[in-house]
Amino acid sequence: KKKGGFLQLSGGTGYNGFFTDKLFTSLVYTNNKVTVENFSSSDEFNPLKDTKYYFLNNNNQIIQKEIPSVYNNHQDRKQSFSYSNNQLVEINTTFPNMPYYPPDDYIETYLEKFYYDTKGNLTKSEYFEQRNGINKGIKIIRTFGDYDNSYNPFRRLYLLDEYFYRAISKNNYRKYNEVKYNEFGQITSNIEQTWTFNYDNSGNIIIN
């Protein structure tokens, strides 16, 4: 159970949302399957459950993730995870096999590739939109840097989306860059973030 979350509001309010401790996320384990859903402890709001199903292997690594669509089951997503040397190297995202209308008749999928340094820290991920298995130029490039030498306290939180990228590295990144490209190779957004952590006398990150 994770207590606290970001409650999204309608765009008509003029606000994106706010953080509240009245939201919580439950993780229910049934053998190798984990169901992750959002709930509220308040009668004032009822958040979307945002249900996700994870299937784990014997090493507690994700091998499959299912994300049902709230509004259209043709947008249900299934993700398959691939590993090499005990590190995640690819995530393939597929939808129900429903072709689009001609002339744009194709099968849409997504592919994300992961790259690491010699210390086992994620340095870059490349996320591609594919049509019939071919990259179409629409992509997201994420880079991770300025790693510390501390143990990573987020590694146990890999089933929570907001911590996923942090959880797959040995140490903690303090710099992040995300660049999105359209199908013509033009940059549509460029986001950079940095963090400052506190450390104890042994050089390990302090979690309050």
Side-chain angles (χ1 to χ4, degrees):
K1 181 177 180 179
K2 185 203 74 170
K3 184 178 180 181
F6 189 78
L7 181 66
Q8 293 185 332
L9 299 176
S10 169
T13 65
Y15 299 93
N16 291 327
F18 62 93
F19 184 85
T20 173
D21 61 2
K22 303 300 182 184
L23 291 180
F24 67 92
T25 301
S26 72
L27 296 89
V28 178
Y29 289 74
T30 307
N31 297 322
N32 71 325
K33 180 181 179 181
V34 187
T35 302
V36 179
E37 293 179 312
N38 296 325
F39 297 93
S40 170
S41 60
S42 171
D43 295 332
E44 297 179 6
F45 44 80
N46 187 26
L48 289 175
K49 282 190 174 183
D50 195 20
T51 304
K52 300 178 181 70
Y53 302 105
Y54 293 87
F55 299 86
L56 311 179
N57 62 19
N58 292 332
N59 295 321
N60 281 329
Q61 295 172 319
I62 304 168
I63 54 175
Q64 186 172 296
K65 178 180 178 182
E66 296 179 0
I67 310 169
S69 173
V70 177
Y71 305 107
N72 183 351
N73 59 10
H74 292 302
Q75 289 299 311
D76 290 350
R77 286 177 286 165
K78 180 180 291 185
Q79 296 182 323
S80 299
F81 292 65
S82 300
Y83 298 85
S84 177
N85 297 322
N86 213 35
Q87 291 180 321
L88 176 67
V89 292
E90 284 188 1
I91 299 177
N92 285 277
T93 302
T94 58
F95 300 86
N97 191 357
M98 177 185 177
Y100 288 66
Y101 293 106
D104 298 320
D105 197 21
Y106 57 86
I107 301 300
E108 181 181 30
T109 57
Y110 293 87
L111 173 67
E112 186 166 15
K113 291 178 171 288
F114 297 83
Y115 304 89
Y116 302 84
D117 62 19
T118 55
K119 293 183 177 180
N121 291 319
L122 178 66
T123 58
K124 181 173 70 171
S125 79
E126 299 173 330
Y127 183 86
F128 302 99
E129 178 182 326
Q130 297 184 322
R131 298 177 184 177
N132 294 333
I134 300 173
N135 296 344
K136 297 307 294 182
I138 300 173
K139 62 183 179 180
I140 303 173
I141 306 298
R142 300 178 173 96
T143 55
F144 309 81
D146 191 23
Y147 276 91
D148 61 18
N149 294 312
S150 169
Y151 79 99
N152 184 350
F154 300 96
R155 288 179 69 87
R156 295 181 298 171
L157 306 178
Y158 65 103
L159 296 182
L160 298 173
D161 284 348
E162 61 263 47
Y163 299 116
F164 177 76
Y165 289 102
R166 284 203 175 278
I168 58 179
S169 289
K170 179 181 178 181
N171 305 119
N172 306 282
Y173 63 82
R174 294 175 290 196
K175 186 176 181 180
Y176 170 75
N177 183 239
E178 177 183 293
V179 184
K180 294 183 179 181
Y181 298 83
N182 62 19
E183 59 185 316
F184 306 106
Q186 301 166 327
I187 294 176
T188 58
S189 71
N190 190 339
I191 300 171
E192 186 168 296
Q193 292 178 280
T194 58
W195 290 266
T196 300
F197 297 122
N198 295 319
Y199 300 89
D200 62 22
N201 293 332
S202 299
N204 289 320
I205 193 171
I206 298 174
I207 301 297
N208 296 325

